[in-house]
Amino acid sequence: MSEEYYLAIETSCDETCSSIINSDGNIISNVVFSQAEIHNKYGGVLPDIASKNHTEKIGVVIEESLQKANIELKEVKKVFVTNGPGLINCLMIGVTAARTISLINQIPVYPINHVEGHIASCFIEHKITFPALCLVVSGGHTSMFMLYNSKEFNLIGNTVDDAAGEAFDKGAKILGLGYPGGILIDKLSKNVKKDFYKFPIAKMGKNSLNFSFSGLKTSLKYYLDKNKDWEKNLNQIAASYQEAIVDSLLENLLKAFKKFNPSSIMITGGVACNSRLRSKAEEAFKNKTKVFIPSIQYCTDNAAMIGKRGFQLENDLNLKGEFEVFSTSKKLV
Ligand code: KG4
Ligand code: ZN
């Protein structure tokens, strides 16, 4: 069969994304319009503003992904679209665009789970060896999975409250840095002392692989209340706060590694952009196992990962004319 082209769309939060993937599973184009600057002045993502911007941008983003792939809309043979979890108003924009294209081209449209998309992002640039232990760490999710192949996996740990990215974003807000907090804290933390203050890491019990981050931002608040002159040590405080998040993630990853003895480790999601997490993970598993982390463009929300997940499931997906759009996490397939 000659090469075919598929379109993937992702609009679950504040990035408007479109990608073209071919029938061999290769990413041909990947376009992201980030609304981060728009939401920066509000200190977080406002769902109505996000969906308004998706509506305004979705057409041009799809158009650009077609142009970059050097194909026309009529050549697209399948559409993959994120249907959850995410902000309902935002998901609806992507799903409506996907359904419209499927009607115009008379082609199937398939719903793709956003978290499964993040997992699939590790397969874009790397040949993963199984069984693999995967940490998905983003603004909305902090979960660990054991993957036995690209289709069979079990959830083995989850956050019981905030996600790690949320801890970065809330911490940055408390420190007066703006949104999105992760990248700002990451920048401030470079080349400064990381053990200036030891923020507490939540202990979830000897056998638990769960995470908890809500106490961390409270301890940051207490620290700032007690130390009125904290601003002069802003960088060290940010670095210490980041260290607590990174160490908490790595502690559980090491625990899971000992328990499941995987043949590789995958780390993905927006927080996987964090330079300290990337270097400490490499260090922690040096001489133990391979660590696969996607390049930055595939860690944060993007449509290439949705296309890749669609490609992985291609033969298992049924044509779904009708499908649910959902905001909360669901059991993954
Ligand atoms: O995967 P993503 O784009 O969206 C969700 O699915 O949530 O992740 C966004 C999260 C935000 O919380 C942001 O602060 C965090 O990823 N993030 C980072 C970095 N870059 C983005 N966190 C830590 N360090 C970074 N360099
Ligand atoms: Zn995401």
Side-chain angles (χ1 to χ4, degrees), residues 147-166:
L147 276 75
Y148 299 98
N149 53 55
S150 64
K151 288 175 194 160
E152 283 170 81
F153 42 85
N154 294 334
L155 178 69
I156 58 164
N158 217 345
T159 180
V160 296
D161 42 54
D162 291 351
E166 217 174 334

Side-chain angles (χ1 to χ4, degrees), residues 219-232:
S219 65
L220 176 63
K221 265 192 211 144
Y222 282 146
Y223 177 86
L224 302 189
D225 282 349
K226 261 207 211 146
N227 298 275
K228 298 289 178 211
D229 59 347
W230 62 267
E231 272 181 86
K232 70 176 199 296

Side-chain angles (χ1 to χ4, degrees), residues 133-146:
L133 167 62
C134 179
L135 171 68
V136 178
V137 67
S138 72
H141 307 275
T142 299
S143 313
M144 278 193 300
F145 299 91
M146 270 307 292

Side-chain angles (χ1 to χ4, degrees), residues 78-283:
K78 284 177 191 174
V79 189
F80 302 116
V81 61
T82 307
N83 69 322
L87 300 168
I88 280 289
N89 293 358
C90 296
L91 292 161
M92 277 163 47
I93 311 297
V95 168
T96 305
R99 284 222 172 100
T100 307
I101 291 169
S102 104
L103 283 171
I104 294 169
N105 280 13
Q106 290 293 298
I107 52 172
V109 55
Y110 300 103
I112 301 293
N113 181 294
H114 181 80
V115 180
E116 291 181 28
H118 274 302
I119 297 172
S121 71
C122 296
F123 293 78
I124 295 175
E125 300 155 300
H126 303 291
K127 186 148 177 40
I128 305 297
T129 49
F130 297 105
L133 167 62
C134 179
L135 171 68
V136 178
V137 67
S138 72
H141 307 275
T142 299
S143 313
M144 278 193 300
F145 299 91
M146 270 307 292
L147 276 75
Y148 299 98
N149 53 55
S150 64
K151 288 175 194 160
E152 283 170 81
F153 42 85
N154 294 334
L155 178 69
I156 58 164
N158 217 345
T159 180
V160 296
D161 42 54
D162 291 351
E166 217 174 334
F168 270 110
D169 295 338
K170 287 178 177 170
K173 198 167 179 180
I174 295 167
L175 292 168
L177 299 175
Y179 172 87
I183 194 159
L184 301 167
I185 290 184
D186 193 353
K187 270 190 195 151
L188 285 188
S189 305
K190 290 201 171 122
N191 309 317
V192 297
K193 255 177 85 154
K194 285 149 184 84
D195 58 354
F196 178 77
Y197 182 74
K198 202 152 178 48
F199 288 102
I201 296 175
K203 297 280 173 226
M204 303 300 290
K206 209 167 112 232
N207 296 320
S208 171
L209 292 171
N210 286 337
F211 303 88
S212 168
F213 291 104
S214 67
L216 191 58
K217 63 171 192 293
T218 314
S219 65
L220 176 63
K221 265 192 211 144
Y222 282 146
Y223 177 86
L224 302 189
D225 282 349
K226 261 207 211 146
N227 298 275
K228 298 289 178 211
D229 59 347
W230 62 267
E231 272 181 86
K232 70 176 199 296
N233 298 313
L234 172 64
N235 294 22
Q236 286 99 314
I237 294 167
S240 303
Y241 185 78
Q242 169 177 276
E243 205 68 0
I245 299 174
V246 168
D247 286 349
S248 160
L249 295 171
L250 288 179
E251 199 172 281
N252 265 8
L253 209 51
L254 276 160
K255 229 168 149 184
F257 177 76
K258 280 193 192 125
K259 183 166 176 186
F260 293 96
N261 193 25
S263 114
S264 64
I265 307 261
M266 302 150 64
I267 308 178
T268 184
V271 177
C273 297
N274 186 268
S275 59
R276 186 73 176 157
L277 176 61
R278 290 173 93 97
S279 63
K280 275 196 122 175
E282 287 293 348
E283 189 57 37

